[in-house]
Amino acid sequence: MLITCPYCGPRDVIEFTYQGDGNRERPQSASQDLDAWNAYVYDRLNPAGDHNEIWQHSGGCRAHLRVVRNTLTHEISSVAFARGDHKSVARHKTEGKS
Amino acid sequence: MSPRRTDSGGRIDRLRTIRFTFDGAPYTGHAGDTLASALLANGVTLFGRSFKYHRPRGVLTSGVEEPNALVTVLRDEVREPNIAATMVEIYDGLTAVSQNRFPSLAWDVSAANQLGGRLLSAGFYYKTFMGPAIGPLKSTRFWMFCEHFIRRAAGLGRAGTAADTARYERMNAFCDVLVVGSGPAGLMAARAAADQGARVILSELEPRFGGSANWSGETIDGMPGADWAARAAGALEGYDNVRLLPRTTVWGYYDGNVLAALERVTDHKERPGKGEPRHRYWIIRAKSVVLATGSFERPLVFPGNDRPGVMLAHAAERYANEYGVLPGHRIALFTNHDSAYRSALALKKAGAAIVAIVDVRPELSSEMRELADEAEAKTFAGHAVVATEGGKALSGIKVQRFDMANGALAGDARSIQADCLLMSGGWSPTIHLASQAGAKAEWNAARQAFLPPKPTQMWPTQQWIGAGAFTGSFSTAEAIAEGRAAGLSAAGGTGTPAALPVVEAAPGDPDPAPVFEIRADGKSFVDFQHDVTAEDVRLARREGFISVEHLKRYTTLGMATDQGKSSNIPGLAIMAEALGKPIPEVGTTRFRPPFSAVSIGSLAAERFGDLRPERLTPMHDWHVANGATMYSAGLWYRPMIYGLSGETIEQAYVREARATRESAGIVDVSTLGKIAVQGPDAAEFLDRVYTNMFSTLAVGKARYGLMLREDGLAFDDGTTWRLAEQDFLMTTTTANAGKVMQHLEYFLDVIWPELKVHVTSVTDEWAGAAIGGPKARAILAACVTGTAVDNAALPFMGIVHGKISGVPVMICRLSFSGEMAFEVYSGAGYGTHVWEALIEAGKPFGLVTYGLEALGTMRIEKGHVTGAEIDGRTTARDLHLDWMLSKKKPFIGSAMMDREGLIAPGRLELVGLISLDNQPLNGGAHIVEALDEANPHDSIGHITACCYSPALGKYIALALVKDGKARRGTRAHISDPLRNRFGPVEIVSNHFFDPDGSRMHG
Ligand SMILES: [Zn+2]
């Protein structure tokens, strides 16, 4: 599998570390909403198809990337810096959970 | 002259004689022979014994799909089992032995297994050895009892125990077009792509390029096919943009057009050349892939089809045309389609008599009749072979009238004398790589074969183009046309005006009759290597195994080393018939890597032995030179003890710890993780990641900090130093340095991108020495210049900058040992210089060097936690670190740390243990309230760390014990049945020694 890092170009997957489901939404730090925290820490989507994921280019520039990967075909349809955009990326969460 | 070598012909070098041995007997062959062709040339028919029934087996094929003729090759002390004799190129001194026979190949005592056919039917192992429902050998225990004997009797080759001294290599390659297979289709594809300027890799699993052109006897462009192939391959050698990889099996097709291949570089040589590896593991990234992998001929399933002398038709044709070997002198053929007629003619031309062509089809085309006449063969249309005769070699066959519409046999069986029977049940495209790449094969009723799907149906991450027999186009003319088109398309090129090579080939219809099995009395083998018969398949169906995946596992059909290359389709057809379903509804199983066996050595390549890099501290050489016993801690090497001669480990660490508490000790702490946390929001960031406050920390001071994970469990601890307003130096535990770094980066990059903070790993930039003990301050005073180190200048948790022996150092007064202690940091390049200066300054004060054991001992005495206690299951409260949980701010883990389960009674809490019988305690030992040595149960916790404490004069331990805090002052027992250690302990506070910290505060 190749991931095209916006800094470094197409690189082998061994240079990257999976950093989890990109749909997780961290509650505000001071939030006492345990359900929201529980969802953030434990709930994971497991879609058969496109999945929004965070990968760190740990063997390269160390940037965190938001990667949309098809879990069936490993096709990667988009890669972007995770920095700052995590609120704007379309979420699969709502339709995934119902 | 060998009895079966033809007078002329073949691609072998008859002027070069090669000597080798098989089962100890000397043989000769020629350069270019495989072990199979050379043994056949010598009249050898018996190659091995079958897996389950120990039936004599010959050679069935001429290639990678060989299920029967598996041998063990011995080279020096190394034995490599289960290699197909068809894939072994002979060399002078080759030593090969047969397998699965006892005491010898010709006389095998286990062959009696075949007399009890019912006994070893499908699922035999499962059913027979489940054992009685009660008693000492109940259920699986009985299997375990019998397994040893079964494994000895059934099985393949025996692996060796000698270390493999061969060298293996790994290679990455990149290309525009990878062409897999070098038959006419592959050669054309490679040429067409190369002419477009594409970077091309052409791989061929055999030693010779050309595939079927090497033996088909066809004329291509006016010359023998083999010559045409040699020319085509030779022309490719002249291209700078083409890499030819002979003896290279592409065995795996992964995401993103990454393919794995094994090149057998020197297996065919008597001795490897200088610097040559045995195997080379290629990782090939191809922009596009042309699959020209050809097809496998299928056996027919009929009684006695496994007897030595029964062979696939094309294999015999190949032995005759490519190796100049006749597999028999009186040859019969049994077929359901046309290609076998060409084989008959080839063998006739090579000098054999064709005694019969038995064809299940009632009508034969006039072209086939002409071919049969030319081969002077008697044809039996509408007939089938119902038995074979002979012992370790074939002596004859029995033929009976056969109605292919209903499978019925009629009339009397007729005997025909033959020493070789060739069978051909049609062809199956070699779709393994396409299947690995996710393609779902499609059943083609005309071809009676699974074909790869059309390109539009393929998955987007695996882009391949098929050509030739792989696509079901079995004629050479089609292969040539498709190959060139595929090569052009793969290279992104368009049409070419040049004419295609002209092929003169024997005529024939590529579609076989849909006949896979002749049902008659006797064992009819489907999977030759695993001894699975047609009856086994039906039995499995009767017993309810109706999914093809279950059938496969129950009968082990297709699960041997050949992975069912020849048996899959016949097995599926028989299954489909038993189920009364068409073949496509039964479905085929998905092929997975590897396509054929891969040496483990090649996967490890240069990374054998200890695969990990070594991390050495700046003072490493000093430690080794001064008697340290080094210990690997993660990737690091650290001194365990600096033992004196005659000392045990315990004596050494007790001496080191005692001396530190009595005068002073010094330890290398360079391995601690060190992260520079810098920027305007650095203090705010630390407030968020640590449970305690850091924004209130004064410049020039350090503070002990604790981190939790998001789920509220303890993560890591360490001190962080404020070097300037916006400049912190964080230290982490040695083991968690990388994890903490990633944790910080994740939060800065993904969660809080608005924070202006930069984190940098500086672990390797600093050398660290911790010096502690009553004399530590005096030693520093003796060697540090540029700053005072007294209590006013350097209070507890204070930081000063100065010099030691001319080198700038940073000193922080903090203590892990519980003594008055200092950590001295210098640039890594000066680490040894500063270390030696400290040692020199410490001499008058009795300074000792100490290692990890003494470090651990003193930390246990102090009750400090490490990774053994911060084990991913403990909370700050469990470790009595709740005083560090700030209530003034949220921090990572603060919302989750008070969840019900994490504050409920009954949690494991950190305690100290004192051995009451003055015997050592063991890490991992369980703790129980009441001792029951015979029936240990009801653990209330376990020991995380233990030592002999010189300060207490006792064996002590840290432990995690259920409701541990409340149990202080009570007694319990350790229960360690594994090491047979039981004994009484007292549960105490984890702070064994100097609990109020008077020693370190001074
Ligand atoms: Zn990068």
Side-chain angles (χ1 to χ4, degrees):
Chain A
M1 197 165 95
L2 291 178
I3 297 177
T4 303
C5 172
Y7 273 134
C8 313
R11 296 300 183 94
D12 191 272
V13 68
I14 60 167
E15 292 187 10
F16 296 83
T17 307
Y18 183 55
Q19 292 288 27
D21 185 344
N23 300 294
R24 290 176 295 157
E25 190 168 7
R26 193 174 194 270
Q28 290 297 311
S29 292
S31 166
Q32 293 297 314
D33 181 350
L34 261 187
D35 286 341
W37 278 106
N38 191 70
Y40 167 64
V41 173
Y42 293 111
D43 289 357
R44 298 290 184 274
L45 289 180
N46 183 21
D50 278 354
H51 189 31
N52 175 356
E53 302 174 334
I54 304 291
W55 290 77
Q56 185 185 17
H57 194 188
S58 46
C61 64
R62 294 192 76 85
H64 287 80
L65 309 176
R66 185 169 300 280
V67 174
V68 178
R69 181 182 67 100
N70 187 305
T71 57
L72 293 174
T73 65
H74 296 271
E75 186 187 15
I76 290 173
S77 49
S78 82
V79 183
F81 289 123
R83 192 173 177 80
D85 74 342
H86 70 290
K87 293 205 170 63
S88 61
V89 162
R91 293 179 192 286
H92 303 262
K93 195 167 196 164
T94 39
E95 65 255 40
K97 279 186 80 179
S98 74
Chain B
M1 188 66 211
S2 299
R4 293 216 162 142
R5 187 74 75 178
T6 59
D7 296 338
S8 61
R11 313 292 295 175
I12 49 165
D13 182 354
R14 288 167 191 265
L15 298 178
R16 277 191 58 207
T17 297
I18 309 271
R19 290 164 204 288
F20 65 97
T21 69
F22 178 61
D23 278 346
Y27 294 98
T28 61
H30 293 300
D33 262 327
T34 63
L35 180 60
S37 70
L39 286 174
L40 284 173
N42 281 282
V44 173
T45 54
L46 183 57
F47 280 69
R49 289 273 171 179
S50 75
F51 182 71
K52 209 155 70 174
Y53 302 115
H54 289 242
R55 285 165 74 100
R57 289 283 166 80
V59 61
L60 181 74
T61 75
S62 57
V64 66
E65 72 271 36
E66 176 60 34
N68 283 344
L70 301 186
V71 299
T72 297
V73 172
L74 309 174
R75 204 188 261 263
D76 302 326
E77 299 299 305
V78 179
R79 49 184 304 132
E80 182 156 33
N82 304 336
I83 310 184
T86 49
M87 294 299 284
V88 176
E89 293 173 66
I90 59 169
Y91 53 84
D92 271 316
L94 167 71
T95 307
V97 294
S98 60
Q99 301 184 159
N100 200 28
R101 80 294 195 258
F102 180 82
S104 75
L105 184 53
W107 300 105
D108 181 292
V109 294
S110 297
N113 279 354
Q114 58 183 299
L115 301 177
R118 296 277 160 218
L119 199 66
L120 292 174
S121 56
F124 159 74
Y125 296 114
Y126 296 108
K127 285 182 286 204
T128 311
F129 295 99
M130 284 316 290
I134 51 164
L137 290 174
K138 67 181 178 186
S139 64
T140 51
R141 278 195 201 168
F142 186 62
W143 162 249
M144 289 157 76
F145 171 76
C146 300
E147 187 179 6
H148 169 76
F149 302 101
I150 293 168
R151 294 247 183 256
R152 180 142 187 259
L156 300 167
R158 181 165 55 87
T161 52
D164 184 355
T165 53
R167 203 171 66 75
Y168 298 85
E169 223 171 64
R170 224 169 19 138
M171 193 79 96
N172 284 289
F174 303 84
C175 62
D176 296 314
V177 180
L178 168 67
V179 180
V180 186
S182 76
L187 286 171
M188 289 302 294
R191 178 67 181 264
D195 280 338
Q196 297 287 315
R199 292 171 306 159
V200 175
I201 294 177
L202 174 62
S203 72
E204 168 56 56
L205 59 80
E206 301 257 357
R208 268 186 288 271
F209 292 96
S212 64
N214 284 320
W215 51 262
S216 69
E218 293 167 328
T219 301
I220 304 176
D221 260 358
M223 65 189 97
D227 293 345
W228 175 84
R231 268 196 207 193
L236 287 170
E237 259 171 45
Y239 282 67
D240 288 340
N241 54 333
V242 176
R243 183 196 288 275
L244 297 177
L245 292 178
R247 302 184 177 89
T248 302
T249 309
V250 176
W251 56 260
Y253 196 152
Y254 298 94
D255 308 316
N257 272 1
V258 176
L259 293 98
L262 181 76
E263 181 186 3
R264 297 173 301 280
V265 183
T266 57
D267 276 353
H268 62 293
K269 295 183 179 178
E270 194 181 343
R271 287 285 154 217
K274 194 171 187 311
E276 279 184 325
R278 178 181 174 224
H279 290 167
R280 194 175 280 134
Y281 167 30
W282 287 88
I283 301 156
I284 303 170
R285 295 172 187 289
K287 271 195 192 137
S288 53
V289 176
V290 173
L291 294 179
T293 48
S295 56
F296 288 127
E297 194 172 18
R298 300 192 292 243
L300 286 162
V301 181
F302 56 92
N305 63 342
D306 67 326
R307 197 177 302 283
V310 182
M311 187 182 283
L312 292 175
H314 90 278
E317 187 181 354
R318 186 173 173 199
Y319 283 120
N321 282 347
E322 191 171 342
Y323 301 103
V325 175
L326 285 179
H329 293 299
R330 289 177 54 82
I331 295 177
L333 285 94
F334 181 27
T335 186
N336 64 2
H337 72 296
D338 285 358
S339 80
Y341 289 77
R342 192 183 67 194
S343 304
L345 189 55
L347 288 154
K348 171 69 183 173
K349 284 180 178 167
I354 308 302
V355 295
I357 298 177
V358 182
D359 197 319
V360 296
R361 297 172 295 181
E363 303 291 334
L364 303 181
S365 67
S366 58
E367 288 105 330
M368 292 308 109
R369 290 203 174 279
E370 277 169 34
L371 285 178
D373 289 346
E374 203 180 334
E376 295 175 28
K378 183 167 170 48
T379 53
F380 293 85
H383 278 70
V385 175
V386 295
T388 62
E389 291 163 341
K392 290 159 190 128
L394 189 76
S395 61
I397 59 172
K398 282 197 167 146
V399 169
Q400 213 173 346
R401 188 163 287 286
F402 175 75
D403 183 348
M404 74 178 226
N406 56 19
L409 294 163
D412 293 334
R414 174 203 301 244
S415 289
I416 299 171
Q417 271 195 348
D419 57 2
C420 179
L421 172 64
L422 308 184
M423 56 181 168
S424 182
W427 296 81
S428 296
T430 311
I431 58 172
H432 300 63
L433 290 176
S435 174
Q436 286 182 24
K440 210 165 164 52
E442 290 170 353
W443 179 252
N444 183 298
R447 290 284 191 278
Q448 290 287 295
F450 280 103
L451 305 186
K454 299 286 171 286
T456 50
Q457 294 160 270
M458 289 183 305
W459 289 17
T461 45
Q462 281 103 343
Q463 295 293 339
W464 48 262
I465 302 165
F470 164 81
T471 67
S473 302
F474 292 139
S475 81
T476 303
E478 287 171 299
I480 281 175
E482 286 187 13
R484 184 161 79 184
L488 271 175
S489 161
T494 47
T496 163
L500 285 165
V502 179
V503 182
E504 283 171 34
D509 180 345
D511 295 337
V515 172
F516 294 90
E517 185 197 1
I518 310 304
R519 292 179 73 163
D521 286 342
K523 278 190 168 44
S524 304
F525 285 87
V526 183
D527 183 326
F528 291 77
Q529 195 176 119
H530 261 173
D531 268 358
V532 180
T533 66
E535 198 48 42
D536 287 332
V537 176
R538 282 186 279 273
L539 177 65
R541 207 282 303 165
R542 287 199 298 275
E543 294 185 352
F545 295 88
I546 54 171
S547 130
V548 64
E549 296 289 349
H550 293 160
L551 168 94
K552 184 175 156 176
R553 279 154 187 80
Y554 193 59
T555 59
T556 73
L557 175 76
M559 290 172 71
T561 65
D562 65 338
Q563 289 287 291
K565 290 184 178 65
S566 52
S567 63
N568 265 314
I569 300 302
L572 204 58
I574 292 165
M575 184 71 186
E577 202 209 348
L579 289 170
K581 283 184 183 173
I583 288 173
E585 279 183 34
V586 177
T588 184
T589 58
R590 179 158 171 196
F591 294 105
R592 299 188 191 284
F595 169 72
S596 63
V598 176
S599 57
I600 298 293
S602 73
L603 299 179
E606 69 283 358
R607 299 169 299 178
F608 69 92
D610 192 342
L611 307 183
R612 307 174 310 167
E614 291 178 350
R615 296 186 78 181
L616 307 179
T617 76
M619 292 83 97
H620 180 83
D621 291 348
W622 190 96
H623 301 318
V624 173
N626 285 274
T629 303
M630 301 305 285
Y631 181 85
S632 91
L635 297 179
W636 288 103
Y637 283 82
R638 304 182 68 178
M640 179 171 73
I641 52 165
Y642 298 83
L644 303 176
S645 76
E647 267 186 337
T648 64
I649 292 174
E650 184 176 300
Q651 285 166 343
Y653 81 72
V654 166
R655 173 183 52 76
E656 290 170 4
R658 183 176 282 142
T660 301
R661 296 221 189 278
E662 283 172 3
S663 49
I666 185 168
V667 61
D668 183 351
V669 293
S670 306
T671 62
L672 286 180
K674 294 175 278 291
I675 299 169
V677 182
Q678 295 160 313
D681 294 322
E684 166 67 19
F685 179 56
L686 292 175
D687 278 348
R688 296 186 190 186
V689 298
Y690 276 124
T691 64
N692 46 340
M693 294 291 269
F694 276 79
S695 52
T696 54
L697 182 65
V699 172
K701 294 282 276 184
R703 183 168 284 170
Y704 174 60
L706 174 70
M707 290 182 199
L708 307 187
R709 308 190 310 206
E710 286 275 39
D711 63 4
L713 296 170
F715 174 34
D716 198 58
D717 66 345
T719 56
T720 286
W721 313 7
R722 192 165 203 172
L723 304 177
E725 189 62 29
Q726 301 183 5
D727 184 4
F728 291 82
L729 178 67
M730 171 189 286
T731 66
T732 75
T733 58
T734 300
N736 276 340
K739 267 197 240 169
V740 170
M741 184 70 190
Q742 266 187 333
H743 178 75
L744 300 182
E745 285 175 324
Y746 180 83
F747 276 89
L748 284 175
D749 214 10
V750 181
I751 308 292
W752 300 314
E754 70 278 8
L755 289 184
K756 292 190 174 69
V757 180
H758 202 270
V759 289
T760 313
S761 170
V762 292
T763 301
D764 293 310
E765 329 304 316
W766 294 100
I771 181 165
K775 305 280 175 60
R777 201 203 304 262
I779 295 169
L780 283 188
C783 65
V784 175
T785 58
T787 177
V789 295
D790 59 9
N791 203 44
L794 189 50
F796 185 63
M797 286 294 183
I799 300 166
V800 294
H801 297 264
K803 284 187 174 178
I804 292 178
S805 189
V807 173
V809 295
M810 186 161 67
I811 304 171
C812 180
R813 185 178 146 197
L814 56 85
S815 177
F816 194 55
S817 59
E819 296 301 314
M820 166 78 68
F822 306 85
E823 285 189 5
V824 180
Y825 279 15
S826 64
Y830 294 100
T832 304
H833 182 80
V834 170
W835 175 269
E836 285 176 335
L838 285 165
I839 299 281
E840 194 59 33
K843 271 187 181 160
F845 300 94
L847 176 71
V848 298
T849 50
Y850 68 91
L852 274 183
E853 288 292 329
L855 180 88
T857 297
M858 289 188 277
R859 80 98 182 169
I860 294 169
E861 289 175 338
K862 287 298 296 176
H864 292 316
V865 294
T866 66
E869 294 79 29
I870 302 182
D871 63 357
R873 293 172 292 186
T874 47
T875 66
R877 283 188 182 80
D878 297 338
L879 303 173
H880 316 306
L881 295 173
D882 34 327
W883 58 275
M884 299 184 69
L885 305 173
S886 170
K887 292 188 172 58
K888 295 180 188 146
K889 51 145 195 169
F891 48 86
I892 294 172
S894 60
M896 298 291 272
M897 68 182 184
D898 291 331
R899 283 177 293 156
E900 211 173 327
L902 299 185
I903 55 173
R907 290 191 60 79
L908 298 182
E909 293 171 349
L910 181 64
V911 296
L913 298 181
I914 295 172
S915 169
L916 294 178
D917 58 6
N918 287 320
Q919 296 297 311
L921 301 170
N922 293 321
H926 281 279
I927 298 147
V928 294
E929 288 174 328
L931 202 55
D932 183 355
E933 293 187 20
N935 182 24
H937 56 86
D938 289 345
S939 169
I940 57 167
H942 61 272
I943 290 178
T944 58
C946 53
C947 67
Y948 177 79
S949 164
L952 278 71
K954 292 170 179 168
Y955 286 99
I956 62 171
L958 292 176
L960 291 168
V961 171
K962 195 171 169 183
D963 296 319
K965 196 170 179 180
R967 291 178 192 266
R968 286 179 189 166
T970 70
R971 289 191 173 193
H973 299 269
I974 53 161
S975 173
D976 189 2
L978 204 60
R979 287 166 286 200
N980 199 30
R981 168 78 174 102
F982 305 91
V985 291
E986 184 182 357
I987 298 176
V988 296
S989 159
N990 53 311
H991 302 295
F992 290 96
F993 179 69
D994 187 26
D996 53 6
S998 60
R999 295 176 71 91
M1000 68 178 181
H1001 291 290

